[in-house]
């Protein structure tokens, strides 16, 4: 009887440890590497934020999507981020700088559910 009780406790602790180790999952891509990133996030790579962002509480993890359009050119960046990172990604005038390119009136959105950065 005691052996069964100890076994049940051990299983409970193991399952609890596994669930604590999981982190937020986000689509990860950018339009420079894959033109499908702008409109088709569900075909993109998925990353666990805990593997990308070290030394932070998983409660601060977010999925982020940045989109911008300039003429016929479109840019999208999807990735793991930390809470309120959009405040630092866009300039105060809502311009997004991607290398030498500047996209006016860009958008940046954060969300906190698995694979929520598909829009």
């Amino acid at each position: 009887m005691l052996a069964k009780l100890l076994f049940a406790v051990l299983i409970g602790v193991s399952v609890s440890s596994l669930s604590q180790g999981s982190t937020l999952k986000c689509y990860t891509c950018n339009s420079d590497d894959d033109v499908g990133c702008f409109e088709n996030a569900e075909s993109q790579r998925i990353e666990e934020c805990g593997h990308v962002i070290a030394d932070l509480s998983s409660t601060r993890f977010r999925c982020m999507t940045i989109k911008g359009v300039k003429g016929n050119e479109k840019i999208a960046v999807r990735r793991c981020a930390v809470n309120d990172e959009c405040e630092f990604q866009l300039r105060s005038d809502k311009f997004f700088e991607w290398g030498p390119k500047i996209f006016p009136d860009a958008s940046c959105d954060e969300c906190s559910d698995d694979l929520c950065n598909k829009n």
Side-chain angles (χ1 to χ4, degrees):
M1 180 71 169
L2 182 57
K4 287 183 181 180
L5 180 61
L6 287 174
F7 181 74
V9 169
L10 181 61
I11 294 296
V13 168
S14 297
V15 169
S16 173
S17 296
L18 285 174
S19 65
Q20 289 176 355
S22 64
T23 63
L24 183 67
K25 294 176 181 73
C26 302
Y27 293 108
T28 302
C29 61
N30 74 66
S31 297
D32 279 350
D33 297 333
D34 185 343
V35 294
C37 184
F38 193 87
E39 294 178 1
N40 192 9
E42 291 163 329
S43 68
Q44 305 305 317
R45 186 171 45 137
I46 297 170
E47 287 188 330
E48 286 192 34
C49 295
H51 296 160
V52 179
I53 304 169
D55 301 326
L56 287 176
S57 166
S58 62
T59 60
R60 295 198 55 215
F61 293 155
R62 299 291 181 267
C63 295
M64 181 174 69
T65 301
I66 301 171
K67 286 187 171 184
V69 177
K70 180 181 178 183
N72 292 333
E73 192 171 13
K74 296 178 180 179
I75 186 75
V77 178
R78 301 172 193 276
R79 64 178 178 82
C80 292
V82 294
N83 191 35
D84 297 327
E85 188 170 333
C86 278
E87 293 178 21
F88 303 103
Q89 292 296 328
L90 298 184
R91 296 185 340 196
S92 61
D93 56 5
K94 299 293 183 196
F95 281 35
F96 176 60
E97 296 181 35
W98 183 253
K101 302 172 188 173
I102 298 176
F103 293 87
D105 198 30
S107 66
C108 184
D109 298 301
E110 298 174 12
C111 52
S112 58
D113 295 319
D114 281 344
L115 307 177
C116 59
N117 64 331
K118 62 183 168 186
N119 295 327

